[in-house]
Amino acid sequence: MTDQVGAEPFLPNGTSLTALRDAAADCQGCDLFRNATQTVFGDGPESARLVLIGEQPGDQEDRVGKPFVGPAGHLLDRALAEAGLDEVPRYLTNAVKHFRFTIAERGKRRIHQAPNRGQLRSCLPWLRAELHAVRPELLVCLGATAAHAVLGQDFRLTEHRGELLAAPETMAGAWQVMTTVHPSSVLRASDRDKAYQEFVRDLRLAADYLSQTLKERNDYDNRP
Ligand code: URA
Ligand code: SF4
C-alpha cells in the first residue's frame, strides 16, 4: 500500500476528454496499473447529457480498452433502450479505471475483485475531471461502489435508490445524481426478471428527469 500516490500528479494541463484520456493511459496513481492490460477510460461525447458510472472495467473491458463492452454492458444497453434513453447522448465510465483481479488457483481465469477504498480514492481525480469536461445534467451511479465514490462511504444505496439528489460539491460538474443497482447484480439475481424490471424502472426516472430538463432548456431558449 505504499505506492498509492493517487492520480492527481498524472492529470494533464488540458481539460478536454482527449487530453484526459491520453494522460490516463500513463497513470500509475495506485498499484492497479501493474497487472491490468491498460487504462479503460470513459467513453462518449463531451456533449453527453447523461453520465453512467460503473465500478471498474471487467475482463473484457480490460482487453478491449472500453467500458461496458461485456455482458453487464449488453444488459445496460438493453435497459437504457427500454427506458427510452437510447437517443440521449451518454458517456460511460467507471469509478476505477484499471481492472482488479486475482488469478484462479487452477487455470488462468481472471476473477474480478472489488477495488478497495484506497484505490477508489486514488482514481477519483479522473472521474472529477471527466465530469468537469462533460458537465452532464444527470449522473447515474451503477451500484454501491460508484455510489460511494460519488456520494461518500456512508451513502446507503438500498435506502436512496432511484432518488434524484443534488450533485455534491466534489462532483460539481454534474447537476443531479441518481443511484441504482449495477447491471452485473441483475445478471446474478435469483429473480432476474424482477431485478431487470426494477433496474429499468429506475432508468425511466432518469429519462423523465432528462426530458424535463430538456423542456426547461427549450422553454428558456424559445422565451419571447
Ligand atoms: N462492470 C463495470 O462496472 N464496468 C464495466 O465497464 C464493465 C463491467
Ligand atoms: Fe491510476 Fe486509477 Fe489506474 Fe490507479 S486505477 S493506476 S489511479 S487510472
Side-chain angles (χ1 to χ4, degrees):
M1 288 296 186
T2 49
D3 57 354
Q4 306 216 349
V5 295
E8 204 74 50
F10 299 91
L11 289 177
N13 291 327
T15 53
S16 71
L17 282 179
T18 313
L20 293 171
R21 188 174 292 111
D22 286 352
D26 297 324
C27 184
Q28 302 187 354
C30 75
D31 49 351
L32 291 182
F33 79 94
R34 294 183 191 282
N35 297 327
T37 310
Q38 57 190 317
T39 305
V40 179
F41 205 65
D43 187 47
E46 213 149 271
S47 58
R49 302 178 56 213
L50 170 66
V51 170
L52 296 126
I53 308 176
E55 181 191 72
Q56 64 167 342
D59 180 77
Q60 295 196 33
E61 289 78 15
D62 173 74
R63 294 170 202 272
V64 175
K66 282 191 172 199
F68 287 107
V69 293
H74 295 311
L75 185 133
L76 176 62
D77 281 348
R78 190 154 65 87
L80 286 169
E82 203 161 323
L85 283 164
D86 44 356
E87 299 288 310
V88 175
R90 61 179 179 253
Y91 182 85
L92 298 177
T93 192
N94 284 300
V96 168
K97 269 60 171 171
H98 274 107
F99 179 36
R100 185 181 193 212
F101 59 93
T102 50
I103 304 282
E105 240 174 70
R106 284 183 297 150
K108 295 206 192 91
R109 208 163 68 83
R110 303 191 299 173
I111 300 167
H112 162 276
Q113 208 185 3
N116 66 33
R117 283 188 191 196
Q119 291 155 345
L120 262 182
R121 201 177 328 112
S122 294
C123 213
L124 218 46
W126 292 121
L127 182 62
R128 283 202 209 107
E130 286 173 297
L131 292 174
H132 190 76
V134 176
R135 302 200 163 270
E137 285 149 60
L138 184 63
L139 187 60
V140 172
C141 299
L142 302 167
T145 303
H148 289 155
V150 170
L151 295 158
Q153 289 294 337
D154 295 335
F155 182 80
R156 292 278 159 270
L157 176 60
T158 43
E159 286 170 29
H160 299 289
R161 159 175 194 181
E163 290 175 13
L164 275 177
L165 310 162
E169 196 77 356
T170 49
M171 303 288 156
W175 299 6
Q176 298 267 290
V177 184
M178 198 193 85
T179 61
T180 183
V181 294
H182 193 286
S184 295
S185 77
V186 177
L187 290 171
R188 285 194 309 266
S190 50
D191 189 344
R192 209 159 135 174
D193 282 347
K194 178 164 172 275
Y196 180 73
Q197 289 312 327
E198 287 172 357
F199 184 46
V200 172
R201 184 198 58 200
D202 287 347
L203 294 177
R204 284 210 178 97
L205 297 172
D208 288 348
Y209 167 72
L210 287 170
S211 54
Q212 188 59 34
T213 55
L214 189 62
K215 186 180 170 304
E216 280 165 15
R217 236 183 214 193
N218 287 339
D219 288 351
Y220 184 81
D221 288 344
N222 298 329
R223 67 195 183 280

